[in-house]
Amino acid sequence: MTVSKYSFTIDWLSVTFKSEMAKPFGHMFGLYSYLSEVTCPPQRGYNKAVELESGLRVSWNDERSDMGVHFVFSGSALRWYYGKNMDWYDVLARAKKYHGKASRIDLALDLEDTGMTGKNLCESALRAYKGKGRTPKFLEVSGSDGG
């Protein structure tokens, strides 16, 4: 008898907040506390950016508060917060509480002996996209061990 195994985690999360909502959210993630920060090159129209000890990257534009404040949690940043007893679900719940708008969520999906593939799980979301933003896409990455 083969036992099917599957698991997933969020491996990247980008969330933008209106400027006034970013401060309370930022407090929760160490932006205004003891965590060291390093200035880093801003991207996507922002003119300021810092990266925290956790790996969380925060960007904003001093001249355009309408752009909001953009938080990027890479997989390693999410794992850092997990080590501090805050998993990706907590991050999403807090982002929702402060009216954050997720612009990117990447899932890491592990399937073993299920007969499913990542692509057929995502197929319904890959239909022609007629809204705002980017067209949904699927990218499968496999290791040399088939994982």
Side-chain angles (χ1 to χ4, degrees):
M1 179 176 167
T2 303
V3 177
S4 298
K5 298 178 192 175
Y6 58 91
S7 63
F8 77 93
T9 189
I10 291 183
D11 197 50
W12 187 279
L13 176 62
S14 297
V15 183
T16 304
F17 295 88
K18 292 183 178 179
S19 295
E20 65 273 10
M21 299 308 287
K23 190 162 187 164
F25 187 80
H27 274 290
M28 284 182 243
F29 295 95
L31 184 58
Y32 307 102
S33 67
Y34 65 94
L35 299 177
S36 61
E37 60 183 54
V38 176
T39 302
C40 53
Q43 299 173 329
R44 296 177 182 81
Y46 296 101
N47 65 6
K48 301 282 177 135
V50 294
E51 187 170 305
L52 305 183
E53 171 188 332
S54 61
L56 171 61
R57 186 183 181 113
V58 183
S59 305
W60 66 96
N61 189 319
D62 284 338
E63 298 163 11
R64 295 213 30 219
S65 63
D66 62 304
M67 290 180 69
V69 182
H70 189 66
F71 289 71
V72 175
F73 295 85
S74 65
S76 57
L78 289 165
R79 286 187 294 279
W80 189 94
Y81 285 104
Y82 181 78
K84 306 287 187 219
N85 297 315
M86 186 183 306
D87 67 14
W88 59 262
Y89 186 83
D90 296 322
V91 174
L92 280 175
R94 292 168 190 211
K96 181 179 179 183
K97 178 180 177 180
Y98 290 99
H99 310 287
K101 180 182 174 189
S103 56
R104 177 177 169 182
I105 299 176
D106 290 2
L107 295 178
L109 178 65
D110 293 316
L111 304 168
E112 185 178 324
D113 298 322
T114 62
M116 294 183 285
T117 66
K119 187 165 186 167
N120 67 21
L121 283 173
C122 298
E123 204 147 347
S124 65
L126 297 175
R127 65 191 181 286
Y129 184 66
K130 296 179 181 169
K132 293 182 178 180
R134 296 183 190 157
T135 301
K137 62 184 173 181
F138 172 80
L139 173 65
E140 187 166 5
V141 179
S142 299
S144 59
D145 62 354

